Each structure stands twice: as structure tokens, then as C-alpha cells.
Amino acid sequence: MPFARISLLKGKSPDYLRALSDSIHQAMVETFNVPPADRFQIIHQHEPGELIFNRNYLAGPRSDDFVLISITTGKPRTTEMRKALFRRTVELLHHSPGLRPEDVM
């Protein structure tokens, strides 16, 4: 049972949050063999100043659309599976809700 914590700045619409949730879950279903009904997520929306991130570290520059995703899994996954999850998550989030890859961590 993977559990995802998703952190972002406050102000996104319910449709945006649903697209964010759906894309992350779809990536886990496709790459981690998670059953489609096995969805456990918490979305944390933060006031400015409560989500602190370096806008230029490694893959920057990051914008106010920055999303930090933390996934806890019950069983270990291979390095290849984790890399596939990272790639697919970024692809799906770029498609919907339209996040730039630099804004996904």
C-alpha cells in the first residue's frame, strides 16, 4: 500500500489537485504494480513561507508551481522500478495538470 504526501503552495483549484492526484496515482499503478483502487494520498497546501525550497538547486529553476512528492511503500521496489516511477510521474504531471519537469521533486 503506497502512501503519497504531496506538498505545494496554496491556491490551486480542486480540478488541479485532482489532476495532480490522478497523475501520481496512475504512475504508481503503471510502474509499481499498485492496484488501481489502492490510493492513499494526503495533499498539503502551504502558505507562502511554509514550503521552503531552493529555486535553482540541480534541476531548477523552480517556480511557485513546485510540488514535492514523498512516497512510502510497503514492499521494496527495484532501482529500475523507482526510476520508471520518477520518469512516468514527471511525464504524466506535465500532461495533466501541466507541471514543468523542473517543478516536480
Side-chain angles (χ1 to χ4, degrees):
M1 170 194 82
F3 170 66
R5 290 183 180 269
I6 305 158
S7 297
L8 66 157
L9 291 174
K10 191 176 275 189
K12 299 298 184 188
S13 71
D15 289 340
Y16 184 96
L17 297 177
R18 173 52 71 179
L20 188 68
S21 170
D22 288 348
S23 291
I24 292 167
H25 184 67
Q26 182 179 343
M28 288 194 293
V29 168
E30 292 178 11
T31 62
F32 269 19
N33 301 319
V34 171
D38 190 1
R39 185 187 304 213
F40 296 89
Q41 301 174 335
I42 295 177
I43 298 176
H44 300 278
Q45 295 187 74
H46 301 274
E47 297 289 342
E50 293 179 348
L51 180 63
I52 300 164
F53 56 94
N54 186 311
R55 290 183 181 265
N56 295 301
Y57 183 75
L58 294 180
R62 292 174 184 81
S63 73
D64 285 344
D65 289 333
F66 176 71
V67 175
L68 179 62
I69 305 162
S70 175
I71 299 171
T72 303
T73 61
K75 64 180 181 178
R77 295 331 200 265
T78 65
T79 299
E80 293 77 24
M81 290 175 81
R82 290 193 309 271
K83 287 180 180 180
L85 172 68
F86 302 151
R87 277 191 305 274
R88 189 64 176 142
T89 299
V90 169
E91 289 170 2
L92 290 169
L93 288 172
H94 183 67
H95 175 70
S96 178
L99 277 170
R100 299 175 325 123
E102 297 86 359
D103 285 326
V104 179
M105 179 177 223

